[in-house]
Amino acid sequence: MIPTGEFRIAPSLLSADFGSLAQAVGEVAAATSWLHIDVMDGHFVPNLTIGPPVVASLRRHSGAFFDCHLMMTDPGAFLEQFHTAGANLASVHVEIGGTDELIAKMRRLGLRVGLALNPDTPLEAAEPYLASIDLLLLMTVFPGFGGQSFMEEVLPKIAAARHAIDERGLPVTIEVDGGIDAETAVLTAEAGARVFVAGSAVFGDPRPWEAVERIRAAIVGAFDRREADLGR
Ligand code: DX5
Ligand code: ZN
């Protein structure tokens, strides 16, 4: 049986009330140790969200693992600021290029390294970097906004990434982001994802901590049933 600890729910603050972020962070603190922070530059995506000063403020209210998703054309110019602000991991998008330099810079700073792929970017774009990253973020919506519908056509790419990572024995975690709820979390977990970003499914719930538990329970339940079916 796969231990529960191998599945992590990363609530996305994008769907929280930006006027009460510290409260939102507190609401999920006991349910999960990860927090997904969506940084948008109004250029790579048509939306603006938060930057290093807000990450630094959140750090004063949280001991969580800050998983910063940098939807930016030029993240390299800000990596140091995000690190100083308290980011633990930063994901940069492969579509912007300069990936080798960005990975080297993140390593130099001591950031965990994530590489993000849009839904229509093939896995081949990430393959040269798989041995150099900690996390592969496979978008299951086009980035820019919360509350969009899960794109199930990404499932084969998740399965192919799982296969490539396992075949090479690489310590890379697969994260999915976009339209994740209790149902789609199970589909992506079965395809090979281990970190599940959920924005509206968590902060759209009046009891966000219960929403986190519901998503985790759905995944664990599905895996337990699968093990039982296999007669183990
Ligand atoms: C989308 C962001 C996501 C977003 C997910 O651009 O990267 O992290 O917050 O929101 P939901 O879970 O509502 O699709
Ligand atoms: Zn995100």
Side-chain angles (χ1 to χ4, degrees):
M1 193 176 94
I2 294 182
T4 314
E6 287 196 17
F7 302 109
R8 293 186 192 284
I9 315 301
S12 164
L13 281 184
L14 188 61
S15 296
D17 175 357
F18 273 28
S20 317
L21 285 180
Q23 188 188 323
V25 164
E27 284 174 347
V28 292
T32 180
S33 59
W34 276 49
L35 203 62
H36 185 81
I37 301 177
D38 285 302
V39 177
M40 304 189 186
D41 67 352
H43 190 68
F44 181 72
V45 287
N47 198 1
L48 276 172
T49 54
I50 62 189
V54 177
V55 175
S57 295
L58 287 169
R59 190 36 98 202
R60 291 195 281 278
H61 296 273
S62 170
F65 185 87
F66 281 3
D67 160 31
C68 295
H69 178 192
L70 308 184
M71 286 160 275
M72 308 173 72
T73 306
D74 187 14
F78 293 91
L79 285 171
E80 191 164 354
Q81 287 185 52
F82 279 111
H83 176 252
T84 305
N88 297 97
L89 178 146
S91 289
V92 296
H93 271 262
V94 74
E95 295 85 6
I96 59 171
T99 305
D100 280 316
E101 295 76 26
L102 290 167
I103 291 174
K105 192 161 191 179
M106 288 190 268
R107 290 279 176 226
R108 269 202 306 280
L109 289 166
L111 279 166
R112 302 294 295 276
V113 174
L115 188 62
L117 269 66
N118 281 342
D120 60 352
T121 300
L123 183 62
E124 290 70 50
E127 257 158 10
Y129 311 106
L130 284 182
S132 325
I133 63 176
D134 300 303
L135 178 136
L136 181 67
L137 168 50
L138 298 176
M139 293 303 300
T140 42
V141 299
F142 282 98
F145 302 92
Q148 304 181 74
S149 298
F150 175 77
M151 296 170 64
E152 65 174 33
E153 55 268 44
V154 181
L155 287 171
K157 182 163 66 177
I158 300 169
R162 176 84 269 152
H163 181 73
I165 288 165
D166 289 349
E167 198 175 39
R168 295 169 61 184
L170 298 171
V172 179
T173 301
I174 300 177
E175 179 179 58
V176 286
D177 182 6
I180 299 296
D181 57 18
E183 198 178 314
T184 56
V186 170
L187 300 177
T188 54
E190 286 175 341
R194 292 295 175 264
V195 180
F196 307 85
V197 176
S200 45
V202 169
F203 289 111
D205 191 300
R207 298 162 77 85
W209 58 94
E210 288 184 0
V212 171
E213 291 302 347
R214 234 183 353 261
I215 296 170
R216 183 182 288 118
I219 300 166
V220 173
F223 271 76
D224 284 353
R225 274 195 301 283
R226 202 171 70 171
E227 294 298 314
D229 289 348
L230 291 169
R232 285 187 203 148

